[in-house]
Amino acid sequence: MTAPADAPVTTDAIPTMTVTLKILRFDPDGLDGREPGTEYWEEFQIEAHATDRVLDALHMIKWEQDGTLAFRRSCAHGVCGSDAMRINARNRLACKTLLKDLNPAKPIMVEPIKGLPVEKDLIVDMEPFFASYREIMPFLMTSGPTPERERLQSPEDRERYDDTTKCILCAACTTSCPVFWTDGQYFGPQAIVGAHRFIFDSRDEGEWDRLEILNDKAGVWKCRTAFNCTEACPRGIEVTKAISEVKHALNTGEI
Amino acid sequence: MATEHEFDVVIVGAGGAGMRAALESSQRAKTAVITKLYPTRSHTGAAQGGMAAALANVEDDNAEWHTFDTIKGGDYLVDQDAAEILCNEAIDAVLDLEKMGLPFNRTPEGRVDQRRFGGHTRNHGEAAVRRACYAADRTGHMILQTLYQQCIKQEVEFFNEFYVLDLILDGDPQAAGEDGEVAAAGVVAYSLQTGEVHTFRAKSVIFATGGAGKVFKTTSNAHTLTGDGMGIALRAGIPLEDMEFFQFHPTGLAGLGILLSEAARGEGGILRNSEGERFMERYAPTIKDLAPRDMVARAMANEVREGRGCGPHKDYVLLDLTHLEPSHIDEKLPDITEFARTYLGVEPYTEPVPVYPTAHYAMGGIPTNVQGEVLRDNTHVVKGLYAAGECACVSVHGANRLGTNSLLDINVFGRRAGIAAAEYAVATAETPALPADASAQIEGLVASLRETVGGEGTERVAQIRKELQETMDRNVQVFRTAESLAEAHAVVKDLQERYKAIAIHDRGTRFNTDLLEAIELGFLLELSEVVIAGAEARKESRGGHYREDFPTRDDENFMQHTMAYKRADGTVDLDWKPVVVTKYQPMERKY
C-alpha cells in the first residue's frame, strides 16, 4: 500500500528550481549570542516548484532548515489574513504569491509589514491596527424596534458597499501607506474601508457618527492618494476609491 | 500581565461557535474568550457557500423538510432530537445574523436570497430546494466578521494568541461512575507572545476549537486546525464520539485541496470525467451533482479508479462552469473562481477546473447534549463544561454533514452553549478552586520541549507530521479496508513512538511557533489513532465512512455512535451509544 496508482499526484512532472530567500529576522530573545532585539538579514536556499507559494517556501525553511523562523499563517489560501508581509518591497499575502510571479532568478526579499512594532521575525504587533478598526465602530447601528423578519435591502443597495465587505483585516493596505509609516496618529486605510462598509449600508444609521470620527485630524484627510493601499489589497478592494467616497460624503454632506 | 485569571465563563476558540457563544454569555456573566489565533483568522472565515434555513423566501420550504434531509443526509446516524432543534432554530439564526448586519445577498424584493445545495430537497427528496442563505461565496467570512464586529460592540474580552493546552476538572470522568460528580474548574493556556503559562479559573468552560483536518495531507483545513480541543478533552478522560466519520469535500482544487464551494454546483456547475460525461447522472439520477458530499466524493474517486480521470495522470475530474454566464460567475462565485486562476492558472469562464476530494470536516467530536453540555459517558454530563461547533458532536451531522449545515450548527449550538454556560455560572455561587499545581503539567511540557533544542532527539516534527498525513490520505480516505486501516494503525503507533524522540530548534520564549507545532502534532497523532480505531470497529459503510470489505449499511449492528475513551495506560477503548430516533425510521438512501 505504499504508492497505489490511483493516489492523486499532480506535481510529478514539474521540475524544481533553486530559490533564494533573503529574510529580515528579528530576535527578541537574544539567542545564539545575539543581543535581544537584534535585527539581521539571513539568506536561505530551497528547492521549490514555480507554482509553490511564498508561504510554501517559508514552510520549507522552517520545517527543513531553521525551526526558529517565525511567521503567522493559517488558511493558506488568502482568506484569513494572517500572513501579510513585505515581499520584494510590496505588501502581499505569502499564501497568495506564487514563486513564478516573482522572478525566482533573483533572491526574494521578505520583511515584516512596516509601521507596526516587530515582535519576532515576520510577526508584528497587530494591536494598534485592530485598535484603529475598533475606533470607527465597525458594527451595524440602528434605532427603533427590531423587526420580526429581516430588514429589507434591495440588491442595488446591497451592491453599494459590496467591495468593502471583502476586507480580511490583513493590514496589507494600512502598512503600505507612507502616511501611516510617518504619522503615528493616522487611522490608516483599513479603518476607512471598515467604516465605508457601514456608512454605505442602507440599513445603518450610524453613518454620521463614523464620518465625524473620520473627519478628525487622524482621519481621512491624512490620505495623500498614493494608491499604495489599492495595489497592496490582496482582496482586490478599491481602497483609494472607498476613501474618496468617504471624503466626498464629508465634503457634500450626501451619502 | 498577571498569569492567574478568574472568570464566570471561559470560551476556548474564537471562530463562529466561540464568538456566537460569547455574544450570549457576555451579556449574562463575566466572560473571556481565549484563542490561539486572532478571532478573524479562524477557519469559519473560509466557509463559502451558505447557511441553511427554511426561510421559504424564494420557494416553498419548511423546517421539517430540512430536518428530514439532515437525517437522511447523515445516513441515519443523526440524533433526531438535535436535528429538529437545528432546523427549527435555523430560521431565527439567520434572521439574528441579518439583524446584526450580515450582508446577505438579496432577492429583488429585498429579502435574504437562497440557493440550492447538496442534499437539500423539497418534500423529502422530490427535487433540489433553494434553502442556503448566502453572501456571494464568502458566507463564512461574513459570519466571522459580523460576529467579531458584534463582539467589539459588546466589548467582549479576548485573550488573543493564547493556546489552551489543558482542561482542569474537579473529579475524574472515567472514575466518577453513576453517582459521582465531575465539574469544570478552568483551563491552562500558553501565551504565544510571552511564553508564559496562564491559568483561568472558571465556573463554566466552553470548547469551540474547531476541526482536525490536518490529520490528512489533502485538506481544505487551515494549518492551525490540529484538533487541539478534541485532544485536550480526550486526555482529560472525556470520550470522543463518531471520530471515524470525516467528510471529504468533493471539490478541492486538484493537488492542493483548497476548497471550491458546492455552491458552484448549486449555481449550475457540472462534474465531468475524461469522457466529458456528467457521471453523477449514473450515481444519483434525481439530484445528480447535488447529491450529498459523501456520495459525490466516492463517485469521483471511483471514476478516477476506473480510469476515467482527467489530466496527464488521470487523477482528477473536472468541474465545468463554462456554460454559465461570466457575469453570473462574478456575482455568485467570485472567490472560488479567483482561487482557480491564482493557484492552478485555470480560467473558469472558458476551462473546466481540475478537482478531487479534500478532507474537510469532522462529523465527530466531543459528545454533548442539545444544551451543549459535554458528556463523560453515554448519559452523564460534566457540570459546567460545554462544547459547540466542529469540535463537538451533538450529533446533527451523523455520518455525513450536509453542506451549509455547519455554519448553521455553529450559530444554533454556539448560541445554546453560550446561554447554558452563562446560566450555569450565574446559578453557581463559588468559582471552583484550581489545585496549586494546576499549571505544573503544562509548564513541564513546555520546558521539556525547549530542552530538546540541541539535544539528542533525532526526530523532526515536520517529518513525522508528513508521514502521518501521507498514511492517513493513503489508507483512511474515501475508501477504507481492514488492511488499509491496519497499516495506518501500525504507522501511527510507530510515529507516536518516534514523537517521543523529537527535537525542536527554537528555545526562545516569544512567538515560539516551533514549539507550538510540536504540541499540535501530539494532538494530531492521538486523534488519528481514534479515527482509525473507530473506522476499524465500524464494519459497515455509512455516510462518509466507506469500507470496501463491508460495502453496505448495517443498521442492525451499527446504527449507533462510537464513543472512544483514552485510558490512563494510553490505550483507546471503544464503546457504543444509541442513536436518538424521534420519527424518522432508517430507509435506503437514494437520490
Side-chain angles (χ1 to χ4, degrees), chain A residues 138-171:
Chain A
F139 40 80
L140 191 74
M141 291 195 263
T142 58
S143 60
T146 310
E148 199 159 307
R149 290 286 295 197
E150 66 262 56
R151 290 190 172 81
L152 299 182
Q153 182 167 58
S154 71
E156 296 71 34
D157 284 345
R158 167 66 180 77
E159 179 61 25
R160 182 69 190 82
Y161 64 101
D162 186 66
D163 201 33
T164 45
T165 67
K166 295 173 188 162
C167 177
I168 56 174
L169 294 159
C170 68

Side-chain angles (χ1 to χ4, degrees), chain A residues 1 9 29 62-63 67 72 74 80 95 119-120 138 148-151 158 165 167 169 197 203, chain B residues 41 57 98-99 101 103 106 112 141 149 161 193 223-224 315 343 465 474 505-506 509 513 517:
Chain A
M1 292 293 295
V9 180
D29 289 306
K62 183 173 182 66
W63 293 343
R72 291 191 180 100
S74 189
C80 80
C95 64
E119 297 264 16
K120 180 178 181 180
E148 199 159 307
R149 290 286 295 197
E150 66 262 56
R151 290 190 172 81
R158 167 66 180 77
T165 67
C167 177
L169 294 159
R197 177 252 171 273
R203 299 169 296 174
Chain B
R41 313 306 182 212
N57 275 1
E98 196 285 327
K99 288 166 196 169
R106 299 289 174 153
V112 173
H141 164 76
Q149 290 159 356
E161 299 185 321
Q193 190 192 20
H223 286 286
T224 44
D315 56 359
Y343 297 110
R465 185 175 52 214
R474 197 163 55 236
H505 282 157
D506 194 346
T509 54
T513 53
E517 286 190 35

Side-chain angles (χ1 to χ4, degrees), chain B residues 69-257:
Chain B
D69 288 339
T70 299
I71 292 163
K72 181 182 172 189
D75 219 350
Y76 297 91
L77 199 71
V78 172
D79 284 333
Q80 298 184 4
D81 55 340
E84 287 170 7
I85 288 170
L86 179 82
C87 301
N88 286 329
E89 295 186 5
I91 293 154
D92 277 342
V94 166
L95 295 177
D96 284 350
L97 287 170
E98 196 285 327
K99 288 166 196 169
M100 290 178 200
L102 197 138
F104 285 107
N105 277 45
R106 299 289 174 153
T107 66
E109 300 77 36
R111 301 205 166 277
V112 173
D113 198 13
Q114 300 188 270
R115 65 178 166 204
R116 297 186 184 98
F117 240 81
H120 291 280
T121 70
R122 170 161 52 82
N123 195 18
H124 298 212
E126 280 178 9
V129 74
R130 293 171 65 181
R131 185 177 290 149
C133 309
Y134 67 101
D137 55 356
R138 52 177 186 282
T139 314
H141 164 76
M142 295 314 329
I143 288 175
L144 190 69
Q145 296 290 328
T146 301
L147 294 175
Y148 181 59
Q149 290 159 356
Q150 291 297 308
C151 285
I152 291 174
K153 183 180 178 188
Q154 287 190 27
E155 298 182 350
V156 170
E157 188 167 357
F158 286 99
F159 289 81
N160 294 326
E161 299 185 321
F162 273 68
Y163 186 24
V164 168
L165 288 174
D166 202 5
L167 167 66
I168 308 297
L169 297 177
D170 189 357
D172 177 350
Q174 294 191 8
E178 286 290 315
D179 305 320
E181 193 166 284
V182 183
V187 298
V188 181
Y190 173 81
S191 162
L192 283 171
Q193 190 192 20
T194 66
E196 292 167 320
V197 174
H198 290 237
T199 57
F200 294 79
R201 279 175 74 187
K203 295 173 183 172
S204 301
V205 172
I206 305 176
F207 270 35
T209 53
K214 280 289 159 181
V215 298
F216 293 96
K217 175 167 176 264
T218 307
T219 175
S220 65
N221 281 203
H223 286 286
T224 44
L225 285 174
T226 47
D228 313 327
M230 299 174 189
I232 291 165
L234 186 72
R235 287 177 189 176
I238 291 163
L240 295 179
E241 180 174 351
D242 287 343
M243 289 296 286
E244 64 272 28
F245 292 102
F246 214 95
Q247 177 165 84
F248 300 92
H249 192 293
T251 52
L253 278 185
L256 292 166

Side-chain angles (χ1 to χ4, degrees), chain A residues 1 19 27 53 73 98 121 125 127 129 136 178 182 190 218 220 229 244 253:
Chain A
M1 292 293 295
V19 179
D27 175 4
R53 297 158 264 195
R73 87 286 187 260
L98 271 50
D121 296 340
D125 178 7
E127 195 40 45
F129 170 80
I136 53 92
T182 53
Q190 193 289 322
V220 70
C229 52
S244 71

Side-chain angles (χ1 to χ4, degrees), chain A residues 206-223:
Chain A
E207 61 268 36
W208 291 106
D209 298 310
R210 288 192 198 89
L211 283 166
E212 199 172 313
I213 295 166
L214 295 178
N215 201 19
D216 183 84
K217 60 180 171 21
V220 70
W221 306 111
K222 295 268 185 188
C223 166

